Amino acid sequence: MLGLQWGDEGKGKIVDFITPHYEVVARFQGGPNAGHTLEFNGIKHVLHTIPSGIFRDNTINIVGNGVVIDPVTLKKEIEALKKLNVDISKKLFISRKAHLIIPTHRLLDAASEAMKGKGKIGSTLRGIGPSYMDKTGRNGLRVGDVESKDFLARYKSLCDKHCELLKQMNYPCKLDELEPEFFDGIEALKALNLVDSEHLLNRYLSEGKKILAEGAQGSLLDIDFGSYPFVTSSNTVTAGACTGLGISPRHIGNVYGIFKAYCTRVGSGPFPTELNDATGEQLRKAGNEFGSTTGRPRRTGWLDLPALKYAIMINGVTDLIMMKGDVLSGFDTLMVCTHYMYRGKKIDYMPYDIVHEDATPVYEQLKGWNTDLTGIQQEKDFPAALSDYIAYIEEHTGVPVSVISVGPDRVQTIERKKMSMAYLS
Ligand code: GDP
Ligand code: IMO
Ligand code: MG
């Protein structure tokens, strides 16, 4: 289950919705740059590190080895769940191989963005990039290290190295306030169920349990396939579930791709169908498009089919899930980008470089609808123009749209066909 655009497609809502069909939900990449929102019974909750299956009884939630964990954020998340009487003791498991975000990673993130000036990525500044850099640079600290006697010495050595770097970047290495909460977070982490998650997951598979892998960010933010360098630092695509959980590609079942009925992006980087006008503002307002993690206004634009088709191809999407259809109510006409004008040619695919070169969208115009969708429970009550919009997307992508979301609440979800159960088995 993963996002096909630039993140914030509504992954949290859908994971929560389909979790009752699974025994296990597992996050495989990213970290607290993610903000996954769930709404049910009048509760609105945002998760950053903990999988979105945590509110369902009898579901095991695993934070896999591919995730980077900030113990400070994790502790806050757990405290917020405790306030809602969610007992995590038997249903939350953390991989020992997941890497840690330490306070200096956050400082390095800020220093790096400050140095980039106008060319900044627009990072969430949660220390994600620097933490993954230490992972691939083979300097990182892992969750399992907190159980070792020399953890403090290893932390200090990495921290000192970072402070040297920060000095060179003219950025203060101020840790007085950050370290106490970090060490509190480490103590809280030690009290959790730390596991060899690859063994656990493979055991579950051999027992025939169904596992839902929960992606974070979106395919167009993928480190390899996104609009580099305006991306995040992990593989957000299906393949990331294998490396981020320790599961063989043979076990990948169906792949659920989540997309908004339009597009949003938060942070910098190319966005071909972006609307910097009143229509864009209308989408932002109607969709309440403000970041779940940082509160930043999200950039908005029309649906981009070449980008969606690219994400479907890379992920091997078997079922599409369309979110926020309700937000498009009230537009007389809807524009959908089918092609780009790129280097003087009309193309229908995502080209290599849209960072330094323009991909100008070519649109087709579709009829809008005025009906309020938020109370609709069945497909037969859809306005004809919405059914046409869905059919148009299916025709252009060749993939069925299996679920339609018409509001933020768990119950505002319509299954068009019985989902073929996206489990890894
Ligand atoms: P995620 O990061 O993919 O989990 O998505 P976010 O939680 O960051 O952002 C999605 C936002 O849209 C959240 O505020 C959700 O409550 C909200 N949302 C999800 N689905 C729908 C929908 O169908 N309609 C509307 N209006 N809001 C939705
Ligand atoms: P969820 O899981 C939307 C964006 C940031 C920035 C770029 C790099 O809620 O969909 P990073 O902090 O990773 O260094 O930021 O990626 N970004 C997201 N945008 N949703 C997210 O997560 C995001 N996580 C990172 O805005 O442009
Ligand atoms: Mg989000």
Side-chain angles (χ1 to χ4, degrees), residues 3 6-12 27 29-37 46-48 109 113 120-130 132 214-218 221 229-234 264-269 291-294 296 298-299:
W6 285 281
D8 302 329
E9 296 89 351
K11 298 175 289 293
R27 270 278 304 269
Q29 46 69 233
N33 47 352
H36 294 179
T37 314
V46 183
L47 294 163
H48 301 285
D109 220 356
E113 284 284 78
K120 69 176 185 179
I121 310 289
S123 163
T124 60
L125 302 178
R126 296 300 188 268
I128 306 294
Y132 277 119
E214 172 179 0
Q217 290 78 55
L221 289 171
F230 299 99
V231 292
T232 192
S233 301
S234 63
T264 65
R265 175 164 201 165
V266 59
S268 330
S292 313
T293 297
T294 58
R296 293 178 292 177
R298 295 179 184 141
R299 300 156 65 193

Side-chain angles (χ1 to χ4, degrees), residues 20-38:
H21 297 296
Y22 297 86
E23 279 96 355
V24 183
V25 179
R27 270 278 304 269
F28 58 88
Q29 46 69 233
N33 47 352
H36 294 179
T37 314
L38 295 81

Side-chain angles (χ1 to χ4, degrees), residues 349-362:
Y349 61 89
M350 178 69 89
Y352 165 68
D353 187 4
I354 60 168
V355 172
H356 304 98
E357 302 211 34
D358 284 337
T360 310
V362 178

Side-chain angles (χ1 to χ4, degrees), residues 369-389:
W369 56 89
N370 249 317
T371 326
D372 174 9
L373 306 181
T374 55
I376 292 183
Q377 294 285 310
Q378 297 177 59
E379 187 181 1
K380 69 175 177 47
D381 299 326
F382 284 176
L386 170 61
S387 300
D388 291 348
Y389 193 73

